[in-house]
């Protein structure tokens, strides 16, 4: 490696190779990470980043190759050995026990002795210290499934720190965070680095790479194709290294041409299972041929709003109309028939059945459609063929409709959902976090599709915590705060203005 | 943790692992036999010959197999939708009432093949009815199906006791059982099937229900993997939230699944009631409903696997009976111990050896 790292290496990966069946996920990877540095890894969806990290963390065994920690070769056979070697991991998909409390999750596997009571007391103290030191605030007694995703992630980080991690791997940590939360996370990471911890950060957001990493490595189709000092590279160069071609980093769209109102929400109020008002008397319209974006910090009612429109959650009061028709009480199946398509925020719990093969997921929600089989039967050949078409059109990798969905990389899973919903040619499209975990090439592609939908005269409602995404796609922006729409701005509104509104400061 | 995610080829998953589990079960059973002072190899010989040695033995083995296929399918259908139906025992018992009522009312007038379809429907309807209330309670009231189906086993048992002792009993007879069905209410024996292979069925009760069971295997496979309803059931079984997102009705799927599951359990009654004893007897199910749970688990909830594991349990039942006859030291209870070993190793501890096998596989293939 040509880079002069002033510090000794914390991690060296030498000749790491891994195949899954016919997929060569890691090809002879060499990587050196300097101690006390933040090292970014970028690459397209399915490039093999998570696989490489899973090998480092002991989830998978490499077929060939060696791992050295602080110069010493180690054999990491499982996550237990990884933890005792000082490696902590924050997974792309959280590994938390949903019905345990924060404290219980943090302690899990590190209870300290047979009797819980003593462990609990000291864990509580340690947790408090970690929270104070790094500003990672969460209520230790909150139950995980009731926490917003942003907070769940903090628990993941706390978990690793609690186990005394010296090397922290974060796989797409900001996918679920707002800009403010991400900034906060980066502050934490810098503090950790300055205390001598080593951090590996996987992300699709080049801006973050530029902002926080010291070194960045690029993977493409299983290979490590380049390593750069962050200060000596540019976003454009990195994008090109990743994708192998120039990437359009800006969204190109023409003037909107709004027509009649296709989706109308009137005085909608939604309560969650505990009776807390999540959506509070919200009203707005979405017209044919326009994209309305909903900006807001995660957990301010956007999710509940989407779910209510999609028919998954029953509103407490108010009205929703599609093309002028009230849809009170309609279930998601009936709504699909009315031309509503829904790309859910949470692909793992809602948008996909991870144990299904890809083609089975390509019809989820539309399986009753006559195209997929007459009467009671499914037409598997037809379904697989249409799945193959979607795979080709959306460049889903690997292009295998028989692969179990869990074995696709995160970004490719998202493309499966996007392909399914957009290919139905709906009249109203509601979207939650369309590009979470998706690489820049695919973001470009998905954004183009969304704009095409708009230009074809569809009504698009977009919820995203990515302010950039909202600003570049939306024709109108509504800001949600504490369940209410606190303001409406044109698509050109400045980041500053929106940020203040999202924080509930200026209306 | 690390090995759980390593994919293994199907022939290891569905061939090698079950086989090793089975060998382990037999090894420990052998140990028990040896401990009570008998020769385990002798015992194994008696067991295998008893189950498969002669046409009559095979006839008995397949008779048991038939019952286990029905109850195994019943459990499997429910599991695919994420429901654990422990009530196959009671559903089969009530199914017997349905079959018997049909047989009792038609056997005077029509030949068996006219009675048969009505009996199948009757048995299925009564089995389904027995599953309907637990299903409704789960779907609409949120009570747990495991608890309610267990309770229904007891309820049905008491109900049938009452009916057989007070209502269906032949006047002045001692035994609490219905009258014997005439030929028009019986399932014909499958002598021809055994003689095709040069054996003699003898007194063995293998009957037409066996063929119905095989047809049901095919239909269940079709239902689960080829129909829209089966797709919905599997979606619900894997991810209730995804099912909700897709607009599938939880209540509807739970109800339909349990009715089908109960119906399959009910059909099990055809085998003993109309095929073997030609009358409705007390406690005729004899635990086949519970064996169905093990059969389904061992058969990976797939009809093909269920046929194989039902056959295995059929062999254990028939071979075990012969064994206790040939080796008096090995009592009926010992046979239950051996069956328990099979359930333990092949069902409950199914994945115990997986990590070791994954390591071995990785070493052999050089990965
Ligand atoms: N358990 C598995 N079985 C089969 N294939 C797998 C498995 N895990 C990963 N793969 C494949 O290996 C390749 C690399 O996947 P990986 O998850 O490492 O990608 P990634 O770079 O993290 O992508 P993303 O940015 O989308 O998260 C993909 O093609 C994926 O489908
Ligand atoms: Mg990944």
């Amino acid at each position: 490696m040509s880079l002069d790292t002033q510090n000794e290496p914390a991690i060296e990966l030498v000749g790491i190779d891994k195949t899954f069946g016919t997929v060569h996920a890691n090809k002879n990877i060499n990587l050196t990470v300097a101690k006390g540095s933040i090292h970014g890894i970028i690459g397209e969806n399915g490039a093999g980043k998570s696989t490489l990290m899973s090998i480092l963390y002991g989830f998978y065994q490499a077929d060939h190759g060696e791992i050295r920690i602080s110069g010493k070769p180690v054999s990491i056979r499982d996550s237990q050995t990884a933890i005792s070697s000082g490696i902590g991991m924050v997974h792309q998909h959280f590994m938390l026990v949903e019905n345990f409390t924060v404290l219980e999750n943090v302690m899990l596997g590190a209870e300290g002795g047979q009797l819980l009571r003593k462990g609990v007391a000291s864990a509580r103290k340690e947790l408090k210290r970690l929270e104070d030191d790094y500003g990672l605030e969460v209520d230790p007694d909150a139950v995980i499934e009731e926490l917003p995703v942003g907070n769940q992630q903090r628990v993941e980080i706390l978990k690793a720190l609690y186990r005394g991690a010296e090397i922290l791997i974060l796989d797409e940590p900001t996918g679920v965070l707002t800009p403010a939360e991400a900034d906060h996370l980066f502050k934490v990471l810098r503090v950790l680095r300055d205390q001598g911890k080593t951090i590996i950060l996987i992300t699709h957001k080049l801006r973050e790479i530029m902002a926080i990493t010291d070194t960045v490595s690029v993977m493409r189709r299983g290979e490590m194709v380049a390593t750069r000092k962050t200060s000596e590279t540019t976003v454009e160069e990195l994008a090109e290294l990743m994708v192998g071609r120039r990437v359009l980093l800006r969204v190109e769209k023409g003037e909107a041409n709004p027509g009649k109102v296709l989706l109308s929400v009137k005085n909608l109020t939604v309560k969650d299972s505990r009776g807390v008002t999540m959506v509070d008397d919200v009203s707005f319209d979405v017209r044919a041929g326009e994209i309305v974006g909903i900006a807001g910090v995660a957990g301010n009612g956007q999710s509940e709003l989407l779910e209510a429109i999609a028919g998954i959650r029953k509103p407490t009061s108010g009205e929703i109309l599609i093309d002028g028709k009230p849809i009170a009480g309609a279930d998601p199946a009936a709504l699909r028939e009315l031309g509503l398509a829904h790309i859910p925020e949470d692909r793992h719990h809602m948008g996909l059945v991870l144990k299904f093969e890809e083609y089975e997921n390509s019809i989820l929600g539309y399986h009753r459609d006559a195209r997929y089989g007459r009467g009671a039967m499914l037409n598997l050949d037809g379904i697989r063929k249409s799945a193959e078409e979607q795979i080709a059109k959306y460049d889903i990798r690997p292009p295998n409709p028989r692969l179990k969905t869990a074995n696709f990389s995160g970004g490719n899973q998202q493309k499966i959902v996007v392909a399914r919903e957009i290919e139905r040619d709906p009249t109203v499209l509601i979207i939650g976090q369309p590009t979470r975990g998706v690489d820049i090439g695919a973001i470009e592609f998905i954004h183009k599709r969304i704009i095409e939908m708009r230009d074809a005269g569809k009504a698009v409602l977009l919820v995203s915590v990515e302010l950039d995404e909202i600003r570049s796609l939306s024709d109108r922006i509504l800001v949600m705060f504490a369940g209410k729409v606190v303001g409406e701005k044109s698509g050109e509104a400045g980041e500053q203005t929106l940020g203040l509104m999202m924080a509930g400061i200026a209306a | 943790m690390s090995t759980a995610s390593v994919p293994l080829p199907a022939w290891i998953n569905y061939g090698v692992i079950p086989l090793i589990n089975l060998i382990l079960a037999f090894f420990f059973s052998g140990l028990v036999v040896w401990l009570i002072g008998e020769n385990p190899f002798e015992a194994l010989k008696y067991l295998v010959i008893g189950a498969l040695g002669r046409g009559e033995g095979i006839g008995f083995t397949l008779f048991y197999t038939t019952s286990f296929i029905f109850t195994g399918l019943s459990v499997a259908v429910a599991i695919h939708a994420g429901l654990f139906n422990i009530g196959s025992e009671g559903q089969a018992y009530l199914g017997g009432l349905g079959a018997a009522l049909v047989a009792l009312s038609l056997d005077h007038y029509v030949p068996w093949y006219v009675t048969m379809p009505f009996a199948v429907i009757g048995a299925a309807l009564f089995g389904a009815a027995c599953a309907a209330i637990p299903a409704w309670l789960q779907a609409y009231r949120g009570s747990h199906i495991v608890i309610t189906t267990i309770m229904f086993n007891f309820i049905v048992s008491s109900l049938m006791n009452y009916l057989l002792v007070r209502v269906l009993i032949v006047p002045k007879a001692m035994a609490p059982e219905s009258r014997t069905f005439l030929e028009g209410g019986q399932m014909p024996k499958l002598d021809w099937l055994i003689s095709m292979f040069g054996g003699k069925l003898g007194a063995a009760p293998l009957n037409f229900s066996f063929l119905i069971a095989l047809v049901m295997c095919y239909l269940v496979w079709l239902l689960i993997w080829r129909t829209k309803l089966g797709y919905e059931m599997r979606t619900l079984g894997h991810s209730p939230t995804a099912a909700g997102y897709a607009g599938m009705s939880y209540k509807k799927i739970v109800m339909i699944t349990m009715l089908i599951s109960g119906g399959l359990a009910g059909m099990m009654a055809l085998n003993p009631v109309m095929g073997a004893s030609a009358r409705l007897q007390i406690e005729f199910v004899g635990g086949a409903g519970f064996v169905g749970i093990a059969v389904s688990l061992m058969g990976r909830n797939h009809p093909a696997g269920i046929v194989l594991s039902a056959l295995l349990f059929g062999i254990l039942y028939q071979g075990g009976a012969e064994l206790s006859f040939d080796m008096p030291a090995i009592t009926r209870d010992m046979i239950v111990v051996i069956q328990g070993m099979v359930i333990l190793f092949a069902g409950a501890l199914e994945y115990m050896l997986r990590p070791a096998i994954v390591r071995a596989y990785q070493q052999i293939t050089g990965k």
Side-chain angles (χ1 to χ4, degrees):
Chain A
M1 198 155 300
S2 62
L3 290 164
D4 55 330
T5 40
Q6 66 272 49
N7 289 330
E8 57 178 290
I11 302 168
E12 288 161 281
L13 300 177
V14 187
I16 298 287
D17 216 89
K18 177 79 188 169
T19 46
F20 295 107
T22 55
V23 182
H24 203 160
N26 283 167
K27 297 178 196 162
N28 189 25
I29 304 275
N30 294 305
L31 177 70
T32 306
V33 179
K35 190 162 166 19
S37 75
I38 300 181
H39 194 120
I41 297 181
I42 56 174
E44 285 184 286
N45 294 133
K49 307 177 295 291
S50 297
T51 303
L52 188 64
M53 291 305 115
S54 299
I55 289 170
L56 184 52
Y57 194 61
F59 264 112
Y60 296 137
Q61 307 295 304
D63 301 341
H64 303 287
E66 191 176 80
I67 301 173
R68 291 186 209 136
I69 306 238
S70 307
K72 281 193 288 294
V74 288
S75 135
I76 300 180
R77 295 179 52 224
D78 48 29
S79 34
Q80 215 58 46
T81 10
I83 292 167
S84 57
S85 315
I87 302 175
M89 176 131 173
V90 175
H91 287 272
Q92 190 171 6
H93 313 125
F94 302 149
M95 307 271 175
L96 298 171
V97 183
E98 301 236 313
N99 53 359
F100 272 22
T101 65
V102 171
L103 189 67
E104 286 167 334
N105 266 288
V106 168
M107 288 177 61
L108 196 67
E111 294 90 354
Q114 294 299 315
L115 287 176
L116 264 185
R117 204 145 58 98
K118 212 163 118 231
V120 169
S122 66
R124 193 179 284 278
K125 232 172 75 200
E126 174 68 2
L127 199 61
K128 186 86 185 73
R129 188 185 68 77
L130 291 172
E131 280 180 27
D132 292 347
D133 282 7
Y134 306 116
L136 286 160
E137 285 154 28
V138 271
D139 171 8
D141 299 310
V143 175
I144 294 295
E145 59 191 350
E146 283 167 7
L147 285 179
V149 250
N151 290 14
Q152 293 189 11
Q153 184 195 47
R154 290 185 201 166
V155 180
E156 279 279 6
I157 297 175
L158 283 170
K159 234 171 82 177
L161 293 176
Y162 183 75
R163 283 163 180 67
E166 283 303 313
I167 299 164
L168 199 59
I169 306 169
L170 295 109
D171 195 348
E172 298 188 33
T174 57
V176 291
L177 304 184
T178 61
E181 283 177 306
D183 284 347
H184 191 109
L185 171 69
F186 291 159
K187 254 184 230 145
V188 173
L189 294 185
R190 284 199 194 96
V191 172
L192 287 168
R193 174 191 57 190
D194 296 343
Q195 290 180 357
K197 307 223 172 192
T198 307
I199 289 154
I200 300 183
L201 174 73
I202 297 180
T203 178
H204 287 293
K205 295 174 199 160
L206 297 178
R207 213 180 38 171
E208 295 176 352
I209 290 288
M210 300 310 288
I212 186 171
T213 62
D214 302 306
T215 318
V216 52
S217 296
V218 186
M219 290 186 75
R220 186 160 77 220
R221 303 206 173 201
E223 285 171 275
M224 193 60 86
V225 293
T227 297
R228 296 277 186 274
K229 274 201 144 175
T230 311
S231 54
E232 291 164 7
T233 186
T234 61
V235 168
E236 286 73 21
E237 187 197 17
L238 291 177
E240 207 172 324
L241 281 170
M242 260 167 75
V243 185
R245 64 174 167 88
R246 296 199 130 272
V247 183
L248 200 62
L249 294 169
R250 301 210 64 76
V251 179
E252 277 183 343
K253 68 170 187 173
E255 278 295 303
N257 232 330
K260 64 170 178 166
V261 173
L262 285 181
L263 172 67
S264 185
V265 173
K266 289 187 180 147
N267 307 103
L268 192 74
T269 297
V270 184
K271 292 198 168 122
D272 73 1
S273 51
R274 290 163 297 172
V276 179
T277 302
M278 299 304 290
V279 178
D280 193 358
D281 193 23
V282 164
S283 303
F284 61 87
D285 289 336
V286 185
R287 295 173 175 277
E290 73 168 346
I291 300 175
V292 173
I294 297 195
V297 176
N300 275 284
Q302 306 97 309
S303 314
E304 289 77 9
L305 175 66
L306 271 191
E307 288 179 13
I309 298 174
I312 296 167
R313 204 179 267 274
K314 292 274 158 281
T316 331
S317 63
E319 220 182 354
I320 302 167
L321 300 106
I322 288 186
D323 202 4
K325 286 185 282 291
I327 54 160
D331 66 18
L335 290 171
R336 282 194 180 85
E337 251 155 54
L338 289 172
L340 180 92
H342 175 203
I343 297 171
E345 283 187 320
D346 184 341
R347 58 176 172 256
H348 279 138
H349 289 107
M350 273 198 187
L352 295 167
V353 179
L354 291 177
K355 290 204 170 145
F356 275 0
E357 291 175 15
E358 193 275 344
Y359 77 93
E360 293 179 289
N361 271 313
S362 76
I363 60 167
L364 187 68
Y366 302 102
H367 56 282
R368 289 265 165 211
D369 198 293
R371 297 197 311 166
Y372 296 132
R374 252 182 272 161
M377 306 303 289
L378 287 172
N379 168 12
L380 291 194
D381 289 338
I383 296 168
R384 285 189 198 133
K385 224 180 101 226
S386 91
E388 265 162 25
E389 284 163 15
Q390 290 180 8
I391 285 174
K393 192 162 168 193
Y394 287 77
D395 190 25
I396 294 165
R397 287 183 229 164
N400 176 8
R402 301 300 309 267
L403 187 68
K404 212 166 91 177
T405 309
N407 293 342
F408 282 88
S409 73
N412 281 297
Q413 289 173 353
Q414 180 69 356
K415 288 201 248 173
I416 297 171
V417 179
V418 171
R420 177 184 71 213
E421 298 302 319
I422 289 189
E423 282 309 294
R424 299 296 308 191
D425 197 27
T427 50
V428 177
L429 177 62
I430 61 174
I431 312 174
Q433 321 297 350
T435 54
R436 178 181 284 172
V438 174
D439 69 48
I440 47 171
I443 289 176
E444 180 190 15
F445 181 86
I446 291 173
H447 283 176
K448 265 193 197 150
R449 290 283 95 75
I450 293 175
I451 290 169
E452 270 171 31
M453 295 293 283
R454 179 196 78 164
D455 293 343
K458 323 289 186 191
V460 181
L461 180 68
L462 169 73
V463 169
S464 173
V465 292
E466 295 296 333
L467 206 45
D468 280 351
E469 179 162 55
I470 293 274
R471 289 176 60 226
S472 53
L473 286 177
S474 313
D475 302 309
R476 285 191 294 133
I477 300 174
L478 306 175
V479 182
M480 268 186 96
F481 177 74
K484 284 188 193 302
V485 171
V486 292
E488 180 180 330
K489 293 278 165 193
S490 76
E492 280 83 44
E495 191 167 340
Q496 198 76 33
T497 330
L498 291 172
L500 285 174
M501 287 167 73
M502 282 162 66
I505 293 168
Chain B
M1 193 118 207
S2 62
T3 47
S5 52
V6 177
L8 286 175
W11 63 271
I12 293 187
N13 258 334
Y14 300 111
V16 174
I17 292 184
L19 194 70
I20 293 181
N21 284 335
L22 200 60
I23 290 172
L24 265 182
F26 275 113
F27 173 77
F28 280 100
S29 307
L31 215 62
V32 174
V33 171
W34 177 73
L35 275 176
I36 59 169
E38 291 283 349
N39 180 344
F41 296 100
E42 283 281 282
L44 184 63
K45 197 185 82 191
Y46 282 129
L47 190 143
V48 172
I49 290 179
L52 303 171
R54 289 166 305 119
E56 192 170 352
I58 296 176
F60 269 104
T61 298
L62 290 181
F63 167 74
Y64 293 124
T65 303
T66 305
S67 293
F68 300 152
I69 290 178
F70 280 120
T71 52
L73 289 175
S74 161
V75 174
V77 165
I79 283 181
H80 278 290
L83 299 164
F84 203 11
N85 179 10
I86 312 265
S88 303
E89 184 82 12
Q91 291 146 18
Y93 203 2
L94 202 64
L97 181 62
L101 291 180
V102 171
L104 289 171
S105 31
L106 295 183
D107 64 349
H108 280 291
Y109 313 105
V110 293
W112 71 272
Y113 50 83
V114 177
T115 312
M116 195 258 305
F118 292 102
V120 171
I121 294 169
L125 275 182
F126 275 64
C130 178
I133 298 173
W136 185 85
L137 287 171
Q138 164 94 24
Y140 291 86
R141 286 286 175 271
S143 355
H144 206 289
I145 198 108
V146 168
I147 311 288
T148 47
T149 48
I150 291 178
M151 284 171 19
F152 262 74
N153 288 336
F154 292 101
I155 295 175
V156 170
S157 177
S158 312
L159 177 72
M160 292 294 282
N161 256 339
Y162 169 79
L163 287 176
L164 281 168
V165 174
R166 293 290 172 82
V167 184
L168 290 169
I169 196 167
V170 182
K172 305 219 179 66
M174 294 294 288
E177 54 187 36
S178 75
R179 75 165 165 84
T180 306
F181 312 146
L182 306 179
E183 208 152 300
Q186 296 184 17
M187 292 280 184
K189 299 265 159 33
L190 293 184
D191 316 64
W192 53 269
L193 187 69
I194 299 295
S195 28
M196 250 166 57
F197 299 96
K200 265 209 166 66
L201 187 58
L206 175 64
N207 62 83
F208 193 80
S209 320
F210 177 61
L211 303 180
I212 300 178
L214 294 183
V215 171
M216 286 306 149
C217 283
Y218 175 70
L219 292 181
V220 166
W221 174 82
L222 214 58
L223 167 74
I224 302 288
W225 282 284
R226 289 294 183 274
T227 68
K228 295 175 179 175
L229 175 63
Y231 178 83
E232 296 189 347
M233 288 164 53
R234 285 183 296 128
T235 303
L236 181 65
H238 288 308
S239 170
T241 42
Y245 160 80
M248 301 168 181
S249 160
Y250 173 79
K251 293 172 180 162
K252 201 177 99 190
I253 300 173
V254 168
M255 288 306 294
I256 296 179
T257 303
M258 282 307 290
L259 291 180
I260 294 172
S261 174
L264 285 163
M267 284 184 221
M268 173 270 171
L270 299 169
N271 190 40
V273 174
M274 289 178 66
S277 58
R279 69 190 89 126
L280 187 62
Q281 289 174 308
I282 203 127
E283 301 295 348
F284 72 85
V285 184
F290 297 119
V291 175
I293 298 170
V295 165
S296 178
L297 285 180
M298 229 184 119
R300 306 288 171 96
N301 311 314
H302 189 288
I306 286 172
V307 169
L308 291 177
S309 57
L311 184 63
L312 173 69
F313 277 91
I315 290 172
L316 286 176
Y317 261 63
Q318 167 56 15
E322 291 285 314
L323 177 59
S324 59
F325 189 73
D326 290 320
M327 282 186 165
I330 299 178
T331 60
R332 203 80 189 84
D333 298 326
M334 276 299 305
I335 305 299
V336 175
V337 170
I338 295 176
Q339 285 159 1
M341 291 285 185
V342 173
I343 295 178
L344 183 68
F345 282 96
L349 298 181
E350 195 187 331
Y351 293 113
M352 183 178 67
L353 289 177
R354 197 176 187 278
I357 289 171
V358 166
R359 294 233 169 80
Y361 173 72
Q362 283 172 332
Q363 276 186 350
I364 291 166
T365 54
K367 287 188 173 178

